[in-house]
């Protein structure tokens, strides 16, 4: 029996007269790589923002393993076990890669990030995660000196620093070269094998179909299809939303 982790029921969010998310009811499978796809403007990122507390929905309910997290502050949702990345990387450009990862669990002050012996365990873990994502050699480099793909890996390391059970990635392959896309995909697969649940917004359909166990399709702010990749890509509603046929 499929266990449901994160779920939304009747979720809506409007900006002026535009309903970016429109009565969306969605379930994400525990322990799986879930993909959330849809045409540009279909409400995927707004949905992410509502779920993670970045913005408050106008109506509806968000649950995480049956606990109501609707409208809670982002840090409280993160503490519940939900981590996320952003469509445009959120990093501290003038801080080093190591300091950026530490900032995920410590105040972003250089004097406090590295000086305290009490935090040595965090420093060791941050270095371990930089190695895990393959940029340990850039530990002392300022984040702004990294390529965009490397910044994506750095942001992922920061997400992992809090050890979330569920990881939401917003366009992890966007603007990234093919070699780094493969590295990100391999990381997602290996972390999933260790028990992490993923929810991935992505426009790279080849990546989505090869990586995902469960695919949810959005159009005009609501779910129009859900299921295994092989089923979803044959759904007439999906073909119509993407191709107009």
């Amino acid at each position: 029996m499929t266990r449901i982790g994160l779920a939304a029921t009747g979720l809506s969010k409007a900006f002026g007269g535009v309903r970016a998310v429109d009565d969306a009811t969605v379930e994400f499978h525990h322990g799986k790589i879930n993909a959330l796809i849809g045409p540009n403007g279909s409400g995927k990122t707004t949905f992410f923002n509502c779920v993670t507390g970045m913005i408050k929905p106008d109506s509806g309910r968000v649950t995480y393993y049956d606990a109501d997290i609707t409208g809670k502050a982002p840090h409280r949702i993160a503490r519940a076990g939900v981590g996320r990345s952003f469509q445009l990387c959120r990093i501290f450009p003038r801080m080093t890669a190591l300091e950026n990862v530490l900032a995920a669990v410590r105040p972003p002050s250089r004097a406090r990030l590295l000086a305290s012996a009490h935090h040595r365990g965090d420093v060791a873990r941050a270095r371990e995660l930089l190695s895990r994502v393959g940029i340990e050699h850039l530990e002392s480099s300022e984040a702004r000196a990294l390529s965009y793909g490397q910044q994506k890996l750095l942001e992922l390391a920061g997400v992992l620093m809090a050890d979330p059970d569920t990881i939401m990635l917003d366009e992890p392959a966007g603007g990234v070269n093919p070699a780094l896309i493969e590295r990100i995909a391999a990381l997602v697969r290996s972390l999933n094998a260790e028990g992490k649940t993923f929810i991935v917004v992505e426009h790279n359909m080849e990546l989505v179909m090869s990586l995902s166990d469960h695919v949810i399709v959005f159009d005009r702010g609501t779910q129009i299809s859900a299921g295994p990749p092989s089923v979803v890509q044959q759904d007439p509603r999906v073909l119509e939303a993407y191709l107009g046929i």
Side-chain angles (χ1 to χ4, degrees):
M1 183 177 178
T2 300
R3 185 182 178 194
I4 303 302
L6 191 67
T9 305
L11 203 68
S12 294
K13 180 65 183 179
F15 299 99
V18 178
R19 294 176 70 87
V21 179
D22 188 7
D23 195 28
T25 295
V26 186
E27 295 180 338
F28 298 101
H29 295 180
H30 163 79
K32 302 297 183 181
I33 301 174
N34 302 267
L36 178 60
I37 66 172
N40 286 328
S42 60
K44 303 181 298 297
T45 293
T46 300
F47 178 84
F48 256 38
N49 288 338
C50 287
V51 166
T52 57
M54 303 301 295
I55 56 177
K56 289 188 176 182
D58 298 327
S59 60
R61 187 166 180 257
V62 181
T63 57
Y64 187 56
Y65 296 106
D66 297 325
D68 192 337
I69 60 170
T70 313
K72 291 188 182 296
H75 70 275
R76 293 184 64 186
I77 294 173
R79 286 175 185 168
V82 180
R84 74 163 290 183
S85 70
F86 292 83
Q87 192 171 347
L88 299 175
C89 290
R90 293 197 176 186
I91 56 173
F92 297 101
R94 293 182 180 274
M95 295 174 70
T96 68
L98 179 62
E99 290 165 344
N100 265 272
V101 179
L102 286 167
V105 292
R106 299 291 175 195
S109 162
R110 290 190 174 196
R112 298 171 67 183
L113 283 172
L114 297 171
S116 173
H118 179 69
H119 297 163
R120 285 177 184 168
D122 285 344
V123 173
R125 175 163 170 74
R127 287 185 168 133
E128 176 186 325
L129 290 171
L130 286 173
S131 179
R132 179 76 187 265
V133 302
I135 56 171
E136 68 277 8
H137 59 293
L138 299 170
E139 171 186 317
S140 301
S141 300
E142 289 189 348
R144 61 180 176 170
L146 276 58
S147 71
Y148 189 66
Q150 290 168 339
Q151 289 178 1
K152 290 265 191 179
L153 293 168
L154 176 61
E155 187 182 35
L156 177 56
V159 171
L160 294 173
M161 189 68 181
D163 197 24
D165 296 315
T166 297
I167 300 171
M168 303 177 70
L169 304 179
D170 196 350
E171 296 196 29
V176 177
N177 69 53
L180 280 180
I181 289 174
E182 284 301 316
R183 184 186 298 180
I184 291 168
L187 277 167
V188 169
R189 289 189 184 99
S190 65
L191 289 162
N192 176 246
E194 294 168 15
K196 302 291 186 186
T197 298
F198 279 87
I199 303 171
V200 183
V201 165
E202 185 52 61
H203 286 288
N204 183 325
M205 288 300 100
E206 183 179 354
L207 177 63
V208 166
M209 296 304 167
S210 65
L211 186 64
S212 306
D213 303 301
H214 182 69
V215 180
I216 296 100
V217 186
F218 257 38
D219 187 34
R220 299 178 185 178
T222 196
Q223 176 181 298
I224 60 168
S225 184
S230 59
V231 173
V232 165
Q233 63 187 340
Q234 301 297 325
D235 190 325
R237 294 167 298 180
V238 177
L239 296 174
E240 181 180 2
Y242 271 102
L243 303 175
I245 60 175

